[in-house]
């Protein structure tokens, strides 16, 4: 019986070592980027992102917890606007603050997650006019550090696909909203 336990412990130690080695090969930062071409000028899209009160109309996370608690502080929109949330396991809790809102070309957001996993990242929205400025290419990027726990998770899941899927849904919602 002791021999079986020793074999199980050795196999478990080897598995953990392999996972740690694989995690150490992952980069110590991450970036997720998605784009959407929208038939609207940037001036029409910009306020939907620079005003956190408008996120309920397009954000892919807003409907995942009907009982989610939201709070707004700071400026009404643009630089200094703050949005915090606390919800179920699907949305967790966190806080966003707009650090830069250069209308109508760029928004930079400090994004802090507290639950289910702590993370401190930056989200950016860039609005690039196309053709005669009646069409806008929206570029949504999130980037930040990837501490060891994040890199261990990346051994088992693809962050780009997981987060990217939500970005694609949000961009599609924005597109529908401004093109109607």
């Amino acid at each position: 019986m002791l021999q079986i336990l020793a074999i199980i412990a050795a196999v478990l130690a080897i598995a953990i070592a392999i996972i740690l080695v694989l995690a150490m090969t992952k980069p110590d930062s991450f970036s997720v980027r998605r784009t959407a071409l929208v038939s609207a000028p940037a001036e029409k899209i910009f306020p939907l992102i620079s005003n956190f009160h408008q996120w309920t109309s397009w954000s892919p996370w807003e409907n995942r917890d009907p009982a989610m608690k939201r709070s707004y502080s700071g400026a009404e929109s643009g630089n200094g606007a703050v949005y915090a949330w606390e919800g179920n396991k699907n949305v967790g809790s966190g806080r966003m603050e707009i650090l830069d809102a250069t209308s109508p070309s760029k928004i930079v957001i400090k994004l802090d997650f507290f639950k289910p996993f702590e993370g401190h990242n930056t989200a950016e929205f860039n609005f690039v006019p196309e053709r005669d400025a009646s069409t806008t290419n929206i570029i949504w990027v999130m980037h930040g550090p990837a501490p060891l726990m994040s890199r261990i998770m990346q051994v088992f899941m693809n962050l780009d696909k997981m987060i990217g899927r939500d970005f694609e849904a949000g961009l599609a919602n924005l597109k529908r909203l401004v093109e109607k």
Side-chain angles (χ1 to χ4, degrees), residues 1 4-5 9 13 22 30 42 50 56 58-59 62 73 81 83 97 116 119 124 135-136 167:
M1 182 66 157
I4 293 173
L5 288 176
L22 290 173
F30 78 95
S50 68
T56 56
W58 65 268
S59 172
E62 288 294 327
S73 61
Y83 170 57
E97 178 178 356
E124 296 182 25
T135 301
T136 304
F167 282 17

Side-chain angles (χ1 to χ4, degrees), residues 71-100:
S71 65
Y72 304 92
S73 61
E76 179 70 22
S77 67
N79 294 352
V82 176
Y83 170 57
W85 71 93
E86 190 171 335
N88 63 21
K89 64 182 174 77
N90 295 319
V91 295
S93 66
R95 180 183 187 274
M96 295 189 288
E97 178 178 356
I98 297 179
L99 300 178
D100 180 23

Side-chain angles (χ1 to χ4, degrees), residues 6-20:
I7 291 171
I8 291 172
V11 168
L12 208 54
I14 291 170
I16 291 170
I18 290 171
I19 290 169
L20 287 173

Side-chain angles (χ1 to χ4, degrees), residues 152-167:
I152 290 171
M153 289 172 51
Q154 288 180 53
V155 170
F156 302 100
M157 63 180 65
N158 185 322
L159 274 183
D160 186 77
K161 283 185 182 175
M162 187 174 78
I163 297 168
R165 192 175 317 128
D166 290 333
F167 282 17

